[in-house]
Amino acid sequence: MSRQRTMEAISASEYVTIGELVRLTNVRYSTLKFYTEEGMLPFEQAEENLTRRYRRLESIERISYIRKLREQKKTIPEIKVILSQEQAEE
């Protein structure tokens, strides 16, 4: 079993794992996995062991934004449209 990185190491890292995102955002693993599978939370895949790596700052901002949209009673399909429209504008 691998050792967990310290919060200090995670906070200084450009990329984090989904487990580390759970620790940073206090959002359940299953929720983040769902967002990933639905294409709402982008990731990169390391070739050597197929680990999904998330850009720490961008992912935290995206998760926070999704939470705000959920608080506004937006549905997952509505959020996906909003996110894809914003991505098209970039």
Side-chain angles (χ1 to χ4, degrees), residues 1 4 10 12 24 31 37 45 47 51 65:
M1 190 165 132
Q4 285 187 346
I10 293 168
L24 288 168
T31 301
E37 291 170 354
Q45 201 142 11
E47 291 178 28
T51 301
Y65 185 48

Side-chain angles (χ1 to χ4, degrees), residues 56-90:
R56 181 177 52 83
L57 292 176
E58 293 163 13
S59 297
I60 291 170
E61 289 171 6
R62 174 66 64 101
I63 292 163
S64 175
Y65 185 48
I66 292 170
R67 279 178 148 173
K68 286 184 178 112
L69 293 171
R70 292 294 288 151
E71 287 169 6
Q72 296 170 11
K73 305 296 185 212
K74 301 282 187 212
T75 65
I76 294 297
E78 288 171 332
I79 292 171
K80 287 170 74 172
V81 168
I82 291 167
L83 294 174
S84 66
Q85 286 173 344
E86 289 180 357
Q87 195 167 0
E89 291 173 7
E90 290 179 0

Side-chain angles (χ1 to χ4, degrees), residues 18-66:
I18 193 168
E20 291 168 343
L21 267 181
V22 168
R23 292 172 66 193
L24 288 168
T25 63
N26 222 15
V27 175
R28 291 185 346 199
Y29 178 92
S30 58
T31 301
L32 296 180
K33 188 164 171 55
F34 175 77
Y35 291 164
T36 299
E37 291 170 354
E38 290 294 313
M40 299 164 63
L41 189 58
F43 65 93
E44 295 175 21
Q45 201 142 11
E47 291 178 28
E48 60 276 358
N49 58 5
L50 302 179
T51 301
R52 292 177 177 172
R53 302 176 336 144
Y54 300 83
R55 288 187 176 272
R56 181 177 52 83
L57 292 176
E58 293 163 13
S59 297
I60 291 170
E61 289 171 6
R62 174 66 64 101
I63 292 163
S64 175
Y65 185 48
I66 292 170

